[in-house]
Amino acid sequence: MTESAEQPEGREPRRRMNYGEGREALLNAAVRVVARGGLRKLTYRAVAQEAGTTHGLVVHHFGSRDALIEEALAHAIRTSLSTSALEPGTGKVADFSVGLSEMVTADPDIQAFQYELLLESRRRPELLPQIRALYDAYFDATKRELSRILPHDAGHPLTRLVFAALDGIVLHQLVFGEPETTDAAVEELRHLLRLLEGEAEAEAEGDSGSANR
């Protein structure tokens, strides 16, 4: 019998997906599976069921569970960086991390997925390279934008401090909700960046004045 002949009555038949569409749908499905059940729930069958497609399509696209995890992480990085305004590229404090609370509200699963893998890497060190790549992408984006805002390049400690604040804010919204608290916290962070910006500019002007004497 064909799969369609065996389809239970009243159940929607699985829709065939083309290659590009199927890959994206499977990555999103993998993110949702991990976000809701942890990495232990990530199986080909669970992803296929979440995506509404066949088990064989997951195998065809990714070949191994490790490859699925790695590509889902890369997908999470692309999605988060494109929606977080972590690096708007303007060098304006007012634009830094605009819409953070809306990003979490719109797609909490992709954020939860990353925290799930972060914690899982404590138990499974083989995940650390992927997690390090994930956070290095965030650190690099944060550093580039801070270096646009400040009159000098942002150092590693400041970059870590600013991103850690944003990371914690996102985690708290995932757990407690309260997007308005997220907005207030991000605005306070921008206020601190404005103070740093002003101090750095004053220091640079002082150095320039001393050099001209």
Side-chain angles (χ1 to χ4, degrees), residues 24-133:
E24 187 79 6
L26 292 173
L27 289 172
N28 287 326
V31 165
R32 292 193 297 271
V33 168
V34 174
R36 298 168 189 175
L39 194 61
R40 67 187 182 282
K41 295 290 187 180
L42 185 68
T43 64
Y44 289 148
R45 201 164 299 282
V47 171
Q49 183 175 7
E50 180 67 29
T53 188
T54 63
H55 168 275
L57 190 63
V58 188
V59 178
H60 168 71
H61 277 294
F62 303 105
S64 73
R65 187 170 179 270
D66 287 344
L68 176 58
I69 292 170
E70 188 171 339
E71 294 205 36
L73 262 174
H75 172 68
I77 293 170
R78 291 192 301 271
T79 303
S80 291
L81 286 177
S82 67
T83 58
S84 68
L86 189 61
E87 189 184 6
T90 65
K92 296 179 180 178
V93 176
D95 296 334
F96 186 68
S97 290
V98 166
L100 188 70
S101 64
E102 289 88 346
M103 177 196 73
V104 180
T105 300
D107 195 354
D109 285 346
I110 206 156
Q111 306 305 321
F113 166 81
Q114 294 169 74
Y115 291 118
E116 285 287 344
L117 264 69
L118 184 66
L119 291 174
E120 187 65 26
S121 69
R122 296 184 71 247
R123 296 179 286 270
R124 293 182 52 187
E126 66 271 18
L127 292 174
L128 278 173
Q130 293 98 317
I131 293 297
R132 189 173 295 279

Side-chain angles (χ1 to χ4, degrees), residues 106-185:
D107 195 354
D109 285 346
I110 206 156
Q111 306 305 321
F113 166 81
Q114 294 169 74
Y115 291 118
E116 285 287 344
L117 264 69
L118 184 66
L119 291 174
E120 187 65 26
S121 69
R122 296 184 71 247
R123 296 179 286 270
R124 293 182 52 187
E126 66 271 18
L127 292 174
L128 278 173
Q130 293 98 317
I131 293 297
R132 189 173 295 279
L134 169 71
Y135 273 80
D136 281 347
Y138 289 139
F139 294 150
D140 289 347
T142 304
K143 185 177 188 296
R144 287 191 298 266
E145 194 60 28
L146 290 177
S147 295
R148 293 185 185 101
I149 291 169
L150 301 174
H152 51 72
D153 284 347
H156 187 68
L158 178 61
T159 297
R160 286 291 185 103
L161 177 63
V162 170
F163 183 76
L166 294 171
D167 207 23
I169 290 167
V170 169
L171 179 60
H172 287 183
Q173 185 177 334
L174 277 175
V175 175
F176 303 116
E178 302 173 352
E180 68 281 358
T181 302
T182 296
D183 292 338

